[in-house]
Amino acid sequence: MRIFLYLAISFVLLDQFIISTILPNITLFDVGILFYVLYILTIRRPITNKRIFIPIKIAGTLYFLSLFVYNTYLFIINKIEIMSFFYIIKEMEYFLLFFLLVNSYYYIKKYSLNLLFVLVVINVLYAYIEMVKGGISFYGIGALVTGSPEPSASIYLMIVFVLAFLELNKIKPVFFFIIICSFPVIATVSRINIVSLIFIIFIIVITKLYNNGFSIKKKNAIINLSMFVLIIILFLSFTQTQYAEVLSERIYKLDNAVENRSDKWANEYELYSFDNIEDYLFGKGKGIPEQIKQDSTLGVDSQYLRSFIEMGVMGSFLHLLLLITTISVLWKNSKYKAFILTIVIVFSLKSITIEALQVTRPAISFWGLAGLQMGYIINKRYNK
């Protein structure tokens, strides 16, 4: 039933931008994915049954099956707790988000994009209100749905990503809106996300220049606009404004941050005893950092380290295989390869300092952006 698809995308988008937790350990995102599962069970031929999705489904099946089998074994021998399966289910939900975005783009494109646009406007207005009010701390402004530093920056960066996708695919002329939505990313004073933002805008400019044959008129307009963005970023970085002071302070402490982060990674690794070859090959189990620390925070501060600790070499390989397979399918079928390359580079960079691909809002951003791009590809191919 199509109503389940409307409800699914509504709950997922509301979770990302307005409100998330509704009950302890239950979010609107969870409810949205449940509605999507109901949709899959009640529709006869979803668009995601096409052959193009087979490699992604096979890689996903191998990855999640391996997680369930090995973690069930660890649970039976009392090395992990039942909550470990919560993290596996969460990852499955993020993976299902990819297919939800494909289906919603194909079947209810107008509704999906209109709702997304409304929620983006609400969040950008909120960000500007916070900036005007001076709602800034050492970590910058927050977002409507969360006050946490990195997730807030990831939300605003995702907005820029989505608008870049719309711009490059010529769905709407939103380039100036991209610039407007860039300032909230800067106001979070998240260093890795500001670097990612600059990289995204650079790719947009180069792509637009290339697609327009580097015509003088187009080139001058884009270069001028890019210079405007650069000037604003430099102004915020080096003038004596409240945001500049906070951002400058964090930039000046970059060396200390790198040293502190590397020390933390070493301490995190030493916290988990790798006693035998089994630990190195298959890991200590999903959610083991939270279990050992008796804390709900992620705390490892690196996707690469967390993957190795939880899943070992084999699990990390299967996870990488799933990501590479998904990106390969996108790359093969999209003419906007620069956009896909940008996603890969940005999330690879973010994964150095946070768990950007598992159990976090950035992970939702990754699978959401991939699903949005695939939805566009499928819509153009089968719904002409």
Side-chain angles (χ1 to χ4, degrees), residues 119-366:
L119 295 176
V120 164
V121 170
I122 291 173
N123 275 265
V124 172
L125 287 175
Y126 173 83
Y128 274 89
I129 291 172
E130 288 295 294
M131 286 188 278
V132 171
K133 288 168 54 180
I136 185 170
S137 65
F138 180 71
Y139 291 107
I141 65 169
L144 189 60
V145 72
T146 177
S148 300
E150 209 293 326
S152 298
S154 294
I155 289 171
Y156 294 128
L157 188 68
M158 181 175 65
I159 289 174
V160 175
F161 248 129
V162 170
L163 294 175
F165 161 78
L166 297 177
E167 172 70 12
L168 293 178
N169 288 292
K170 299 178 181 179
I171 297 175
K172 292 181 180 180
V174 294
F175 195 73
F176 283 99
F177 199 39
I178 291 174
I179 304 306
I180 294 172
C181 295
S182 297
F183 294 116
V185 180
I186 300 170
T188 64
V189 295
S190 170
R191 289 164 296 200
I192 189 65
N193 284 288
I194 291 174
V195 171
S196 300
L197 171 67
I198 295 172
F199 183 77
I200 292 169
I201 293 178
F202 173 77
I203 290 295
I204 295 172
V205 170
I206 295 299
T207 302
K208 287 177 69 67
L209 285 172
Y210 177 80
N211 290 339
N212 288 288
F214 291 88
S215 65
I216 297 298
K217 185 176 180 180
K218 292 284 185 181
K219 182 172 68 175
N220 289 339
I222 295 173
I223 288 177
N224 290 337
L225 192 54
S226 301
M227 288 300 297
F228 167 75
V229 176
L230 181 60
I231 290 170
I232 294 298
I233 292 175
L234 291 174
F235 173 80
L236 289 170
S237 301
F238 299 108
T239 58
Q240 295 303 309
T241 64
Q242 183 184 23
Y243 293 98
E245 291 174 3
V246 176
L247 183 56
S248 297
E249 182 181 0
R250 285 175 61 77
I251 290 174
Y252 293 149
K253 291 183 177 180
L254 186 59
D255 291 341
N256 291 336
V258 172
E259 183 179 350
N260 292 338
R261 192 62 61 92
S262 60
D263 289 341
K264 180 172 184 177
W265 292 335
N267 293 333
E268 286 289 339
Y269 178 77
E270 292 175 1
L271 184 61
Y272 311 94
S273 55
F274 286 75
D275 302 321
N276 49 57
I277 190 65
E278 179 184 287
D279 290 338
Y280 287 101
L281 285 177
F282 304 108
K284 307 291 290 186
K286 294 296 290 184
I288 197 68
E290 289 73 21
Q291 179 177 317
I292 289 182
K293 297 176 184 178
Q294 292 296 305
D295 195 353
S296 60
T297 185
L298 295 175
V300 175
D301 285 353
S302 172
Q303 176 63 64
Y304 304 112
L305 180 59
R306 185 183 182 96
S307 293
F308 178 73
I309 290 172
E310 291 187 332
M311 303 183 296
V313 174
M314 294 302 298
S316 298
F317 170 76
L318 290 176
H319 187 231
L320 182 61
L321 178 64
L322 171 59
L323 297 174
I324 291 176
T325 301
T326 304
I327 293 298
S328 297
V329 172
L330 288 173
W331 183 271
K332 181 179 178 181
N333 292 279
S334 174
K335 65 177 181 178
Y336 293 107
K337 302 187 188 305
F339 180 79
I340 298 169
L341 183 62
T342 305
I343 294 176
V344 173
I345 292 176
V346 166
F347 280 90
S348 296
L349 288 173
K350 286 165 69 71
S351 292
I352 296 174
T353 58
I354 62 170
E355 291 92 326
L357 296 172
Q358 293 174 295
V359 203
T360 59
R361 285 188 178 274
I364 298 177
S365 299
F366 173 82

Side-chain angles (χ1 to χ4, degrees), residues 50-56 329 333 374 377-378 381-382:
K50 300 293 182 181
R51 291 181 60 185
I52 190 174
F53 295 99
I54 291 177
I56 300 175
V329 172
N333 292 279
M374 181 59 81
I377 293 169
I378 293 296
R381 178 175 298 182
Y382 296 106

Side-chain angles (χ1 to χ4, degrees), residues 16-27:
Q16 292 305 292
F17 294 107
I18 302 297
I19 184 173
S20 182
T21 303
I22 53 177
L23 292 172
N25 298 322
I26 300 294
T27 66

Side-chain angles (χ1 to χ4, degrees), residues 4 7-9 11-12 15 20 22-23 26-38 90 93:
F4 289 141
L7 290 171
I9 196 64
F11 277 100
V12 165
D15 175 274
S20 182
I22 53 177
L23 292 172
I26 300 294
T27 66
L28 285 181
F29 185 82
D30 300 325
V31 177
I33 295 300
L34 176 60
F35 276 120
Y36 177 62
V37 171
L38 292 175
K90 276 293 182 183
E93 289 184 353

